[in-house]
Amino acid sequence: MKKEKRSNTESLEKKEGVTYSSNMSFTSVTCDASIPVIKCRPDLSEVASCKDIVVFDLETYSLALDCDILQIAASHLRKSSQYSTYIQPSKPISTQASAVTGLTSKGGVLFYNGDPVQVLSQEAAFQNFTSWLEQHKPCVLAAHNCKTFDARRLQFDKIYLLRRV
């Protein structure tokens, strides 16, 4: 089991870096020379004037692009407002995803670290998240690995979330 867990950890670190390792902190962050140079400076005037930044994270049942979202969690950086909801899984949760997220499913019940959690349908979860975000409008959404993971799971043509906020 230790060998399998180490292999899973190494696989995740290849995809996401060591940022999910224990005892990580901002002091451990190093410069990554592989980040490409920006060729065209984006217009950040709206972002710079926005004081409302919401950090969000998605948990899924696998790393596949078409996988379902199992949890949406968000926190407003300036206010003490947080959002978290679990979504009823439609497919089995991979053992690799369970190792990272602590989410498992058995008999139609979703568990977090062995404790059952209350779930919503995907539609209800996104409607609730949208309502929560509208309370902080306008806001900037930010996420760790957003470009390579979270944003790719938010299917823009199916979910009206980002168009409304």
Side-chain angles (χ1 to χ4, degrees), residues 44-52 138 140:
L44 298 177
S45 58
E46 287 184 42
V47 175
S49 65
C50 184
K51 294 179 181 151
D52 294 309
V140 173

Side-chain angles (χ1 to χ4, degrees), residues 60-63 70 91-101 103-104:
T60 59
Y61 69 78
S62 80
L63 295 175
L70 298 177
K91 296 179 184 173
I93 302 170
S94 73
T95 54
Q96 295 89 352
S98 289
V100 173
T101 65
L103 295 170
T104 56

Side-chain angles (χ1 to χ4, degrees), residues 38-56:
I38 298 174
K39 294 178 182 169
C40 177
R41 186 181 176 113
D43 179 13
L44 298 177
S45 58
E46 287 184 42
V47 175
S49 65
C50 184
K51 294 179 181 151
D52 294 309
I53 298 173
V54 172
V55 178
F56 76 100

Side-chain angles (χ1 to χ4, degrees), residues 108-119:
V109 177
L110 186 65
F111 296 88
Y112 175 65
N113 290 334
D115 295 323
V117 293
Q118 188 174 9
V119 296

Side-chain angles (χ1 to χ4, degrees), residues 81-158:
S81 180
Q82 296 181 340
Y83 177 86
S84 180
T85 192
Y86 294 96
I87 300 170
Q88 183 66 44
S90 65
K91 296 179 184 173
I93 302 170
S94 73
T95 54
Q96 295 89 352
S98 289
V100 173
T101 65
L103 295 170
T104 56
S105 180
K106 185 175 181 181
V109 177
L110 186 65
F111 296 88
Y112 175 65
N113 290 334
D115 295 323
V117 293
Q118 188 174 9
V119 296
L120 297 175
S121 69
Q122 182 173 329
E123 183 179 335
F126 279 104
Q127 286 176 351
N128 289 352
F129 185 44
T130 301
S131 296
W132 182 83
L133 284 171
E134 285 179 345
Q135 297 172 22
H136 307 294
K137 199 173 169 182
C139 66
V140 173
L141 294 175
H144 172 71
N145 281 338
C146 187
K147 183 177 178 181
T148 59
F149 189 83
D150 297 270
R152 296 179 80 181
R153 269 83 189 158
L154 293 175
Q155 298 174 6
F156 294 84
D157 58 333
K158 294 180 182 174

